């Protein structure tokens, strides 16, 4: 169920129960705004993994602390990922699959896509005919 659908079906006195905080929002500001809006409507909030229940003041405080930690964790993961990608680029690696079209396969594709050979694509060529056309532009045939 989406967050919007869940909220539209909640009434005063209900409690929204989630498994984990980070699935509820992208950043602390949105998360806090969402939970405060629930509180304004008289709806409780419980997060099972973090053992947070906003019915009490201590639960609301703990919610804010855990929301901040969740955002910190998310931002650190992004930083580590970007640092790893930069290090890989410095070593000459890119984060993609190996290309299926080698130089010899491209030469064979040019030959197959030449005049009089339409539809003669053999098993040696990977992908579909449109894929071959994208790899071997008309100017190269």
């Amino acid at each position: 169920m989406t967050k919007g659908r869940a909220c539209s079906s909640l009434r005063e006195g209900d409690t929204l129960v989630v498994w984990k905080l980070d699935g509820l929002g992208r950043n602390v500001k949105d998360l806090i705004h969402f939970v405060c809006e629930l509180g304004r409507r008289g709806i409780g909030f419980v997060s099972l993994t973090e053992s947070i229940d906003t019915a009490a003041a201590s639960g609301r405080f703990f919610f804010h602390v855990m929301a901040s930690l969740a955002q910190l964790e998310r931002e650190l993961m992004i930083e580590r990922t970007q640092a790893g990608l930069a290090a890989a680029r410095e070593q000459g690696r890119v984060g993609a699959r190996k290309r299926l079209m080698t130089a010899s396969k491209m030469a064979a594709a040019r030959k197959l896509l030449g005049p009089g050979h339409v539809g003669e694509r053999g098993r040696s060529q990977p992908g579909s005919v449109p894929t071959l056309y994208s790899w071997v532009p008309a100017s190269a045939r």
Side-chain angles (χ1 to χ4, degrees):
M1 182 178 283
T2 64
K3 187 166 71 169
R5 249 180 68 201
C7 288
S8 65
S9 63
L10 292 170
R11 305 287 176 247
E12 186 175 349
D14 288 348
T15 300
L16 175 64
V17 180
V18 298
W19 176 251
K20 198 169 184 179
L21 272 181
D22 58 0
L24 194 58
R26 287 279 182 217
N27 59 43
V28 173
K29 181 182 171 191
D30 292 340
L31 197 57
I32 290 171
H33 181 274
F34 176 71
V35 172
C36 288
E37 179 63 23
L38 289 177
R40 187 188 64 72
R41 292 175 46 198
I43 299 168
F45 176 78
V46 173
S47 175
L48 298 175
T49 303
E50 292 88 1
S51 300
I52 296 172
D53 185 352
T54 60
S58 60
R60 287 187 294 277
F61 168 76
F62 192 59
F63 162 75
H64 287 279
V65 170
M66 291 306 294
S68 297
L69 289 174
Q71 181 169 349
L72 174 67
E73 180 182 357
R74 206 175 293 110
E75 289 174 1
L76 288 174
M77 184 175 60
I78 289 168
E79 286 178 12
R80 286 190 300 264
T81 300
Q82 289 176 345
L85 290 171
R89 272 195 275 338
E90 286 176 7
Q91 295 173 2
R93 294 182 303 190
V94 291
R97 297 186 326 187
K98 289 184 178 180
R99 292 187 171 193
L100 293 176
M101 293 297 284
T102 62
S104 62
K105 287 182 181 179
M106 287 195 46
R110 280 189 191 92
K111 193 175 185 181
L112 281 174
L113 293 173
H117 291 76
V118 176
E120 291 184 22
R121 186 177 66 90
R123 289 260 183 231
S124 64
Q125 297 299 319
S128 64
V129 172
T131 300
L132 291 176
Y133 279 117
S134 69
W135 275 93
V136 183
S139 61
R141 286 184 229 143

